[in-house]
Amino acid sequence: MSADGRFAPSPTGPLHLSGLRTALVAWLMARAQGARFLVRIEDLDPQRSRREFEEQQLADLRMLGINWDAPPVRQSERTALYAEAVAQLHEMGRLYPCFCTRAEVREAASAPHSELPEGAYPGTCGRLPAAVAARRIEQGDRFAVRVRAQAEQITFEDRLLGRFGQVVDDFVVVRADGVHAYQLAVVVDDAAQGIGEVVRGADLVASTPRQILLQRLLGLPTPGYTHVPLVLGPSGERLAKRDGGATLADRDEPASATLALLAHSLGLAAERAHVNTASELLNEFDPESIPRMEFKVDEALQP
Ligand code: GLU
């Protein structure tokens, strides 16, 4: 498989240091191998996505010297591809409508289920007789579409986190508002764009078994996975806006200083080194030495 990489931000706010650092790792992984690098805008959620955040995110990446080989694609413009994948899953008899409200899903998920992980959907609507489901659709009840995962156990080898396995529950591929779910879109796009190495935040590691299940069902290749540990704020919690200095715009310093901090966090530069642009890091970069631990910014957060 190729080493082609991508960064796939959701344009729901400015990029935080975690996102910028993950983007840098994704870019270095691809470029160090002379591979292509793409940016994909994951703007499927119309309520949360904003064009101005997209522009700001792209501008921030450029400030760090991260470049890409083709104009960024927007998921909101690719729904026909996702609909095709849904049709394919439907033909395989793998989909069912789920009428559960959020509260019902929460309730169902909190009951103990022998083999499913905590918080998993136990397949309640998957057991509805077809005639009942058809009647409810006819009477206009709202429904999401779930894939029957058959409680399959899926394990993969992450380049940084090691072996990760999980029993996959019946997850949503089309939301009740008709929006295609992230799990589906990401799988379709990574395959369509020829991505060989998925680099993203470690907060998404638990999504990967679901995505691998979809790849297998849809007959798509499984890329390599690198889940990058997050950047933590001074309190040891995931970096948040209230920490200040979390985004490029909030940092009262040139982008090169933030780049140097990120490079330092990856073991690529001395603490107060100067790094003008990402390509200066390419020679030294070794995927094997990316830290496996979260990076905690203390005083260094405030420039
Ligand atoms: N759009 C997701 C996010 O911003 C990342 C998805 C991915 O890289 O697979 O968290």
Side-chain angles (χ1 to χ4, degrees), residues 6 8-10 42 182 186 198-200 204:
R6 53 45 161 207
S10 305
E42 302 212 321
Y182 155 68
V186 78
V198 167
V199 179
R200 59 186 173 205
L204 287 168

Side-chain angles (χ1 to χ4, degrees), residues 44-90:
L44 279 181
D45 191 332
Q47 310 297 342
R48 301 179 60 226
S49 305
R50 299 259 183 290
R51 219 28 104 77
E52 63 262 31
F53 289 135
E54 171 189 320
E55 279 156 23
Q56 191 182 349
Q57 290 180 340
L58 294 177
D60 285 356
L61 295 176
R62 284 192 199 99
M63 295 270 276
L64 301 184
I66 292 175
N67 60 355
W68 43 91
D69 295 325
V73 297
R74 292 190 191 97
Q75 287 191 322
S76 60
E77 293 164 4
R78 296 164 67 82
T79 51
L81 279 178
Y82 313 140
E84 257 173 52
V86 171
Q88 198 178 332
L89 294 168
H90 178 67

Side-chain angles (χ1 to χ4, degrees), residues 91-275:
E91 269 162 38
M92 298 167 75
R94 280 294 197 140
L95 301 182
Y96 64 82
C98 174
F99 303 93
C100 293
T101 60
R102 266 169 207 271
E104 283 164 345
V105 170
R106 252 197 315 276
E107 220 168 276
S110 64
H113 304 284
S114 50
E115 52 192 350
L116 291 172
E118 217 183 296
Y121 182 70
T124 320
C125 285
R127 291 185 287 274
L128 278 184
V132 174
R135 190 168 350 105
R136 292 195 63 173
I137 292 177
E138 212 166 289
Q139 74 194 29
D141 287 4
R142 276 168 70 83
F143 64 95
V145 179
R146 287 185 188 268
V147 64
R148 240 179 250 285
Q150 299 175 338
E152 204 174 318
Q153 161 85 33
I154 300 219
T155 303
F156 72 100
E157 197 69 34
D158 186 89
R159 276 188 221 287
L160 291 182
L161 308 181
R163 217 171 171 65
F164 183 91
Q166 195 152 287
V167 173
V168 179
D169 65 345
D170 292 357
F171 58 94
V172 170
V173 287
V174 187
R175 301 183 343 189
D177 59 5
V179 172
H180 293 106
Y182 155 68
Q183 311 288 1
L184 178 88
V186 78
V187 161
V188 169
D189 283 338
D190 283 334
Q193 297 187 290
I195 301 303
E197 187 67 29
V198 167
V199 179
R200 59 186 173 205
D203 51 334
L204 287 168
V205 68
S207 289
T208 304
R210 292 173 164 185
Q211 294 172 17
I212 294 175
L213 179 94
L214 283 180
Q215 287 152 6
R216 292 183 187 166
L217 290 175
L218 294 167
L220 301 173
T222 292
Y225 285 100
T226 302
H227 288 90
V228 182
L230 301 181
V231 175
L232 304 180
S235 58
E237 311 250 311
R238 209 190 277 194
L239 197 60
K241 191 115 190 102
R242 63 171 180 279
D243 291 318
T247 66
L248 221 46
D250 278 354
R251 297 181 67 76
D252 192 16
E253 63 182 8
S256 58
T258 303
L259 181 60
L261 171 71
L262 297 177
H264 171 64
S265 81
L266 295 168
L268 291 173
E271 183 142 10
R272 292 280 168 194
H274 282 280
V275 185

